[in-house]
Amino acid sequence: MSDSEEPQQKTVIGIAFGNSNSSIAFTSPDGKAEVIANEEGDRQIPSALSYVGDEEYHGAQAKSHLIRNPKNTIAYFRDFLGKSFADIDPTNAHSSAHPIQHETGVAFLVEEKTDAEPSTLTVSEITTRHIKRLQESASDFLGKKIDGCVITVPTDFSEAQRRLLAEASKASGLEVLQVIQEPVASLLAYTAREETSHPADKTVLVLDIGGTRTDAAVIASRGGMFTLLATQHDYELGGRQFDDALVDHFSKEFIKKHKTDPRENERSLAKLRLECEATKKTLSLSTSAQISIESLAGGFDFHSTVNRLRFDLLSKKLVDQIVGLVESVVKKAGMDLSDINEVILAGGSSHTPKIASRIQQLFPSTTAVQAPATNPNALNPSELSARGAAIQASLIAEFEAEDIEQSTHPAVTVTPHLAKPIGVVIHSPEGDEGKAEDKVYVFLDAETAVPARRTATFVGTNVGGDVLIRVVEAKKESVDVTPPKEVKEKAADEDDEDDDDDDEEEEEEKVIKRVTEVEKVIAEALLKDVKKGQKVEVMLNVAGDLTLTITARVVGGKGGIRGTVPGRAQ
Amino acid sequence: MNVVVTKHTLLPAEPEWPHEGGFHILEHLSEPTHRNLEPVGPHYLAHARRKRHHRTFSEDDRIVAAQQAKNVEDADPGEISEPEDAMLLSRDPKDWKNQDHYAVLGISKYRWKATDEQIKRAHRKKVLKHHPDKKAAAGGVDDDNFFKCIQKAMEILTDPVKRRQYDSVDESADVDPPSRKAKGNIYKLWNPVFDSEGRFSKKKPVPRFGDDKSTKANVEEFYNFWYNFDSWRTFEYLDEDVPDDNENRDQKRHVERKNKAARAKRKTEDTARLRKIVDDALAMDVRLQKFRKEERLQKDAKKIAREAEEKRLVEEAKKKAEEDARRKEEEEAAMKASKADAKKAKEAAKNAAKKNKRVLRKGAEDANYFHSDGAAPPDVVANVLADVELLITKLDNEELDVVAKKLAGLKVSDEIKSVLVDGIRGSVGKGSAAEGDFKVLLK
């Protein structure tokens, strides 16, 4: 569709720059995004830099210095970028180098060299060094110089922050082609995986549970184009809180044995937290995990085990919070939970099985939850942003800077979106019998960016004769369906195949169905003399000025009918 | 374009259609909401392309399709394949060593210049034409001999090592060098020869023979290259078949040795042949003569210039000497003339002086030697004469002249005496005579 078939001369990568971890990905010649491991074999590279002696450590090595050398180890700095000292929340950086006030915003005071005075490093400077290391890892892996990158940022990053990030990257020698939003990148990673060149229309919730924060976004995906409908953030909910739940659990156990609280000693706490993080990761894969720390506190070693059930109990409150966040973002988008067709779990903490299963319970079973615990084919949630960025990078690699600038200009991105779904009334049983059935086949769902067009074929008529094509704006209604009654499919996903819908969901006593109803009839068209069983192809085309063109014809037949409803402006 | 196939049934129409035509508008679409599309993904980029270039869906589809179609066209350029003659078609595939592989594939005009791509395409064309199944289907005889020839040619020409071996002995590609007596444009005669010989060079690019505009450096480089020619030409292709039965090892080794010797011999011959070609070219190369002539002319021009310079210097010297001599002569002549004049003047002065002296003496005599009366006694005469003689000696010619003029016409003795005394006084005043020297005149 785009210029992706052109031979790629430029080497471009995608960078997911996280507050806790960063990852880098590239697109292989066959169009598959792959995440790059750094020199130590990490695909999730901790966003941390540590200065010991004259050496600079990066990634996992730097993170391990949080125990021995926390004052000269900088971590969790991304969210400080472009913010004033008054606006930042330094909680996360408590156990690493502390942020200090600086004329450009926030900085860190670290001993970079053995004998020199401690130097003040601004967040931009740290970001530059971090990206430089990521770039080196990528170019070592690929064996080529990296020409450009696409970086992902959270949706709440301001324009100024994005610009600063691009500048910081440029200072490290890496040109930023585009800065894109994390949830959109995650969605792109999944969309690009689909075989079809015409992705189905759907509404997706991207839940990104990171190390220090959780972000939820509702995105309308219409014909492969994405529109953010609502976002919600929780800056005090993330993998760290899950670690802390384990830290508290093990601390209590340690106190019982040794009458010492490891949380009172900074170093013990750092040790324990690091190990708890590893234990948590193990629990995502197996049902029980061990922890063993030498000389945790007071010279005592610590060994223990924890099973997944215990961890689920410990983190129940946190999972509840996540569920609350999901509900609030869907509400903010003005939708019902059942309007969400797909949930994508992103971020490292999404490996936790309990989160995935709770989300799955929250939504109707027709909603696909993309997480390793619920879908064995799901992509690694930690890698989604980087993959999406790499795919985008490969798409725009050959573009001129001016082309990218023009394509991302608000004049192009700001587009009218349909307020109501547009469809064609279909034949359905009268009265109660047809209560739980769709009255309208939806061509273009609400929030579809125009211009847009869709085509569908119908069975013209079961008896033969003239056929009425009634184009309407639709609405969705909740219908109470009692279990014994055979349940028909709800309406939201008009493009999904109908076959696998009938044999699902009968476990709950009261089932609420969402069906499409006619809201407003726009136009009617008459297609004459359709024989029994003949197919009718209908195409709806909405132009940029909301002019609706309806074309209908009998498949294989001659002629047909065509009509235009002018936009309101005319 | 994507068409979704549904199982839904459309509404049956009311028996009465109350509107005119088949289409009836009731309402407009609701007001849209303006939202930001995420500038991400292939579909967005397509959307941006349409929006920026103001294309509709179908226009964009057509343009994109046209671009793709063009790409396909580029990959299939025009073809070349020569038809084969009857001789070629009736070849025995077992005699593949003597077969012209390029001719079999129909690319004999390209020969060693044919690219792998050309060979591949030529082969495909021939296969499509001569495949035995096709011949059988067309009702022809079941004859796959030529097909075997094609396959053999393909086998050799697609293997870089085998192709080089074949190219080494592919005499059809050789261009015969012109004989020494050949007349005509030597560049037209020799360029093709060296272009064809150049195919064996390990070093690329091969310098060309060039034309009459080639510089001396180019020509020198050319001969340098060809006298130090590094060739990859081998003669394995002409090897005698080595018997591959295990029984007679000696025989096998013998053949191998013979082959090796034959190869070495051919290689030496080839080197000698090439050497002779270059020698011939060198001998015929008018450019070398031209360069030599030019060089000589240059040298001569220098020599002439030098000689002219020398001649000029000699002439200049000669001229100068003549000039000098002439000037000297003139000077001498002038001197002589002036000397003669001086002598004359001197003599004139002498005569004048003699006359003046005589005037003086006469004056004294006229005055009767200043004796008052009668003939003056001899002693008086002697004394006066002595004084006059003294005065004459003391006076130079001019004073004498003055005194003589004063005396002229004077008859009175006192006047004569005063003139003489004045002369003496003047002489004394000048310091040339003393008063005491004069005996009488001053008394």
Side-chain angles (χ1 to χ4, degrees):
Chain A
M1 187 108 191
S2 77
D3 304 49
S4 55
E5 295 96 340
E6 304 256 313
Q8 303 238 333
Q9 272 119 36
K10 284 189 183 171
T11 312
V12 290
I13 55 168
I15 296 182
F17 177 27
N19 206 22
S20 321
N21 293 298
S22 301
S23 42
I24 37 185
F26 75 105
T27 309
S28 60
D30 54 345
K32 292 232 163 60
E34 280 173 41
V35 177
I36 297 169
N38 72 355
E39 298 81 357
E40 293 152 60
D42 292 330
R43 288 190 164 74
Q44 296 306 308
I45 304 158
S47 303
L49 285 161
S50 184
Y51 295 92
V52 183
D54 293 338
E55 291 280 319
E56 181 190 72
Y57 292 96
H58 179 245
Q61 284 184 323
K63 198 174 179 186
S64 64
H65 278 290
L66 279 173
I67 299 170
R68 272 175 289 160
N69 187 21
K71 290 281 160 277
N72 290 323
T73 302
I74 303 165
Y76 306 109
F77 56 88
R78 188 212 45 199
D79 282 358
F80 299 158
L81 188 68
K83 290 207 173 164
S84 72
F85 190 72
D87 293 338
I88 61 160
D89 172 14
T91 318
N92 292 322
H94 183 70
S95 52
S96 57
H98 292 206
I100 55 164
Q101 193 152 8
H102 187 264
E103 62 255 35
T104 60
V106 185
F108 297 91
L109 193 66
V110 292
E111 289 170 21
E112 239 189 303
K113 298 266 186 291
T114 342
D115 302 321
E117 284 285 299
S119 47
T120 309
L121 299 177
T122 63
V123 177
S124 288
E125 171 66 21
I126 292 292
T127 306
T128 301
R129 293 184 186 190
H130 176 58
I131 291 175
K132 194 175 179 64
R133 298 294 293 257
L134 292 177
Q135 181 197 356
E136 282 166 9
S137 298
S139 84
D140 283 353
F141 183 89
L142 297 171
K144 281 182 236 161
K145 194 185 161 295
I146 310 295
D147 300 308
C149 72
V150 168
I151 300 190
T152 65
V153 294
T155 53
D156 64 341
F157 246 47
S158 69
E159 226 13 80
Q161 281 178 299
R162 284 163 210 231
R163 213 165 38 242
L164 266 177
L165 178 60
E167 279 164 18
S169 175
K170 200 171 179 185
S172 78
L174 186 59
E175 196 72 41
V176 178
L177 302 174
Q178 195 183 353
V179 177
I180 64 173
Q181 322 228 46
E182 279 170 3
V184 181
S186 304
L187 179 52
L188 180 63
Y190 271 104
T191 311
R193 199 174 62 149
E194 285 170 24
E195 298 294 313
T196 168
S197 61
H198 295 274
D201 291 354
K202 58 193 173 188
T203 307
V204 184
L205 184 131
V206 179
L207 181 62
D208 185 344
I209 312 165
T212 57
R213 53 185 281 180
T214 301
D215 307 277
V218 177
I219 305 175
S221 166
R222 304 279 184 263
M225 291 196 275
F226 312 126
T227 309
L228 267 175
L229 300 179
T231 56
Q232 198 72 293
H233 312 280
D234 190 332
Y235 302 107
E236 283 159 19
L237 178 61
R240 218 177 142 85
Q241 275 64 36
F242 285 84
D243 297 343
D244 283 346
L246 275 179
V247 166
D248 287 343
H249 169 71
F250 286 125
S251 293
K252 278 177 198 153
E253 208 177 307
F254 193 78
I255 291 168
K256 238 183 240 171
K257 277 188 199 159
H258 303 295
K259 307 279 180 283
T260 318
D261 190 348
R263 285 172 294 183
E264 281 168 4
N265 181 317
E266 294 234 333
R267 196 167 165 166
S268 306
L269 180 62
K271 256 187 187 178
L272 185 56
R273 181 171 279 142
L274 215 58
E275 286 304 317
C276 282
E277 193 185 336
T279 307
K280 177 188 73 177
K281 285 178 182 167
T282 316
L283 278 177
S284 298
L285 300 169
S286 63
T287 50
S288 71
Q290 288 191 330
I291 184 167
S292 75
I293 306 167
E294 281 180 24
S295 180
L296 175 57
F300 296 112
D301 293 354
F302 179 63
H303 305 284
S304 183
T305 56
V306 63
N307 62 21
R308 192 185 277 174
L309 195 63
R310 167 74 61 186
F311 177 62
D312 290 349
L313 282 172
L314 292 169
S315 59
K316 183 171 183 306
K317 219 181 87 201
L318 299 168
V319 178
D320 285 345
Q321 281 180 36
I322 293 173
V323 169
L325 184 75
V326 168
E327 283 173 334
S328 79
V329 75
V330 174
K331 201 174 156 198
K332 199 172 161 189
M335 291 189 164
D336 189 90
L337 282 178
S338 60
D339 291 335
I340 304 292
N341 308 118
E342 191 173 322
V343 179
I344 291 173
L345 285 184
S349 304
S350 297
H351 287 284
T352 312
K354 187 68 187 169
I355 298 176
S357 60
R358 276 294 295 277
I359 298 290
Q360 182 72 79
Q361 281 166 22
L362 182 68
F363 286 94
S365 58
T366 47
T367 302
V369 176
Q370 305 285 11
T374 52
N375 179 359
N377 290 328
L379 297 169
N380 184 346
S382 314
E383 298 177 349
L384 289 178
S385 298
R387 280 168 184 266
I391 292 163
Q392 178 66 12
S394 73
L395 290 176
I396 60 173
E398 297 304 318
F399 278 40
E400 299 293 325
E402 195 192 350
D403 255 359
I404 298 172
E405 168 74 33
Q406 279 184 9
S407 295
T408 57
H409 193 272
V412 178
T413 61
V414 176
T415 314
H417 285 58
L418 293 179
K420 299 268 167 53
I422 299 172
V424 169
V425 178
I426 49 173
H427 181 76
S428 58
E430 299 284 322
D432 269 4
E433 211 185 322
K435 198 175 75 171
E437 307 236 358
D438 286 333
K439 310 289 187 300
V440 178
Y441 172 80
V442 175
F443 273 75
L444 294 147
D445 209 343
E447 307 302 350
T448 301
V450 293
R453 68 172 171 183
R454 298 286 187 276
T455 310
T457 62
F458 298 89
V459 178
T461 163
N462 290 327
V463 288
D466 296 354
V467 165
L468 179 67
I469 296 153
R470 181 176 282 160
V471 180
V472 298
E473 281 193 344
K475 61 182 173 183
K476 286 174 185 170
E477 299 259 304
S478 297
V479 178
D480 185 0
V481 195
T482 41
K485 213 172 186 177
E486 218 219 322
V487 175
K488 252 273 178 184
E489 174 47 26
K490 69 167 195 70
D493 43 352
E494 66 285 344
D495 281 354
D496 281 1
E497 316 87 81
D498 295 337
D499 319 333
D500 55 342
D501 300 331
D502 303 283
D503 44 30
E504 289 167 0
E505 62 181 282
E506 250 148 76
E507 66 267 89
E508 282 187 29
E509 290 189 6
K510 191 178 167 190
V511 182
I512 303 292
K513 296 298 302 173
R514 297 277 281 181
V515 298
T516 50
E517 295 280 352
V518 174
E519 165 109 9
K520 187 166 84 176
V521 181
I522 303 291
E524 287 177 333
L526 189 72
L527 198 59
K528 286 189 174 167
D529 293 332
V530 180
K531 293 194 184 68
K532 186 184 170 190
Q534 267 189 326
K535 297 238 171 190
V536 175
E537 187 184 276
V538 180
M539 182 171 90
L540 296 193
N541 188 348
V542 182
D545 57 358
L546 284 224
T547 303
L548 172 66
T549 308
I550 301 143
T551 316
R553 64 182 183 94
V554 175
V555 175
K558 276 186 200 159
I561 186 144
R562 183 187 167 91
T564 303
V565 182
R568 211 171 272 257
Q570 271 81 11
Chain B
M1 213 198 129
N2 197 28
V3 179
V4 179
V5 178
T6 72
K7 288 176 186 165
H8 296 295
T9 312
L10 290 167
L11 289 183
E14 310 274 325
E16 296 287 310
W17 176 252
H19 316 292
E20 266 193 39
F23 189 69
H24 171 60
I25 300 169
L26 289 148
E27 273 278 7
H28 291 284
L29 291 179
S30 305
E31 277 301 307
T33 35
H34 285 266
R35 288 181 191 277
N36 239 326
L37 273 175
E38 290 303 318
V40 155
H43 297 274
Y44 172 79
L45 293 175
H47 164 80
R49 186 178 63 220
R50 288 193 296 265
K51 193 154 178 173
R52 280 171 55 205
H53 301 306
H54 305 291
R55 294 181 194 160
T56 64
F57 281 103
S58 37
E59 274 169 7
D60 192 58
D61 285 350
R62 206 167 50 232
I63 291 165
V64 171
Q67 279 168 355
Q68 277 166 358
K70 208 190 272 168
N71 293 345
V72 175
E73 242 171 58
D74 289 343
D76 191 24
E79 280 291 338
I80 26 83
S81 188
E82 298 148 3
E84 48 290 289
D85 58 18
M87 282 284 284
L88 207 58
L89 284 173
S90 59
R91 277 205 70 87
D92 181 5
K94 281 179 191 138
D95 185 29
W96 61 269
K97 278 230 166 183
N98 295 322
Q99 158 184 320
D100 182 346
H101 302 304
Y102 290 112
V104 167
L105 290 187
I107 43 175
S108 56
K109 67 173 168 182
Y110 292 95
R111 309 215 78 91
W112 55 278
K113 289 183 198 120
T115 63
D116 288 348
E117 187 60 29
Q118 278 173 327
I119 291 170
K120 230 188 231 163
R121 268 188 271 125
H123 173 249
R124 175 127 198 90
K125 283 220 153 175
K126 290 291 174 196
V127 166
L128 290 179
K129 196 169 165 193
H130 296 285
H131 197 279
D133 288 357
K134 276 201 172 168
K135 280 192 179 164
V141 278
D142 190 12
D143 168 25
D144 61 351
N145 276 351
F146 189 63
F147 185 69
K148 279 182 185 158
C149 293
I150 293 170
Q151 296 304 74
K152 193 70 201 178
M154 185 63 180
E155 179 199 322
I156 283 167
L157 296 185
T158 48
D159 181 329
V161 176
K162 283 186 183 162
R163 188 173 172 197
R164 279 209 156 181
Q165 290 176 359
Y166 175 66
D167 281 343
S168 293
V169 299
D170 181 16
E171 281 169 3
S172 322
D174 284 347
V175 177
D176 289 330
S179 73
R180 279 199 179 223
K181 284 166 201 131
K183 292 265 179 281
N185 185 339
I186 58 158
Y187 312 112
K188 262 188 195 159
L189 291 173
W190 282 107
N191 256 326
V193 176
F194 284 105
D195 285 351
S196 119
E197 289 296 331
R199 69 188 195 265
F200 300 119
S201 177
K202 279 184 191 164
K203 270 187 280 180
K204 301 273 166 168
V206 179
R208 296 200 71 211
F209 186 71
D211 50 31
D212 52 0
K213 287 180 195 71
S214 304
T215 64
K216 194 178 172 212
N218 282 350
V219 175
E220 271 170 3
E221 191 210 336
F222 172 83
Y223 285 107
N224 236 338
F225 180 90
W226 283 98
Y227 276 119
N228 299 306
F229 193 71
D230 192 3
S231 163
W232 51 257
R233 199 170 186 183
T234 60
F235 294 92
E236 274 132 311
Y237 196 82
L238 303 176
D239 280 358
E240 226 174 278
D241 282 338
V242 178
D244 55 354
D245 49 4
N246 301 330
E247 285 158 28
N248 200 341
R249 228 185 322 169
D250 289 341
Q251 167 71 6
K252 191 176 159 189
R253 286 188 183 160
H254 172 68
V255 175
E256 273 174 359
R257 260 200 308 278
K258 233 169 84 183
N259 277 340
K260 209 176 160 195
R263 268 184 237 160
K265 194 177 157 222
R266 285 205 180 93
K267 182 89 183 166
T268 324
E269 281 170 6
D270 182 53
T271 315
R273 180 189 64 87
L274 184 66
R275 181 104 196 165
K276 190 181 169 291
I277 289 178
V278 183
D279 282 343
D280 283 357
L282 188 70
M284 282 171 78
D285 199 341
V286 288
R287 286 174 303 182
L288 289 175
Q289 296 163 16
K290 190 180 81 180
F291 291 137
R292 241 173 276 146
K293 201 171 154 193
E294 269 172 15
E295 224 168 274
R296 208 168 43 230
L297 279 179
Q298 238 170 14
K299 239 190 233 166
D300 287 357
K302 259 189 210 160
K303 206 173 145 195
I304 288 167
R306 207 178 53 229
E307 280 172 354
E309 176 72 12
E310 272 169 16
K311 204 173 160 192
R312 193 179 62 82
L313 286 176
V314 168
E315 269 172 13
E316 250 173 39
K318 210 168 140 190
K319 228 179 185 176
K320 208 181 161 197
E322 274 172 8
E323 187 89 346
D324 286 352
R326 195 175 52 80
R327 209 184 299 128
K328 218 171 155 188
E329 244 168 54
E330 275 173 9
E331 270 169 19
E332 273 170 12
M335 219 136 76
K336 241 183 208 169
S338 67
K339 254 185 203 165
D341 284 353
K343 212 175 168 183
K344 246 184 219 163
K346 226 172 152 185
E347 253 157 50
K350 235 182 192 169
N351 291 340
K354 255 183 205 162
K355 202 178 151 195
N356 288 344
K357 282 175 195 164
R358 252 194 327 271
V359 171
L360 256 59
R361 277 184 214 115
K362 179 85 174 13
E365 195 191 321
D366 287 348
N368 196 23
Y369 308 108
F370 313 115
H371 198 64
S372 24
D373 40 24
D379 59 327
V380 172
V381 173
N383 280 344
V384 170
L385 280 179
D387 280 1
V388 171
E389 276 314 306
L390 186 65
L391 180 63
I392 287 168
T393 56
K394 293 296 170 194
L395 291 175
D396 60 21
N397 290 337
E398 280 158 40
E399 286 161 337
L400 206 56
D401 195 38
V402 172
V403 175
K405 274 182 183 141
K406 281 180 185 165
L407 284 178
L410 291 182
K411 293 284 184 232
V412 184
S413 71
D414 283 354
E415 278 172 7
I416 294 170
K417 197 181 179 182
S418 72
V419 170
L420 289 176
V421 168
D422 276 353
I424 292 165
R425 293 253 158 87
S427 177
V428 171
K430 238 168 44 175
S432 51
E435 276 185 33
D437 291 342
F438 296 96
K439 289 169 184 147
V440 283
L441 280 177
L442 288 178
K443 286 175 190 151

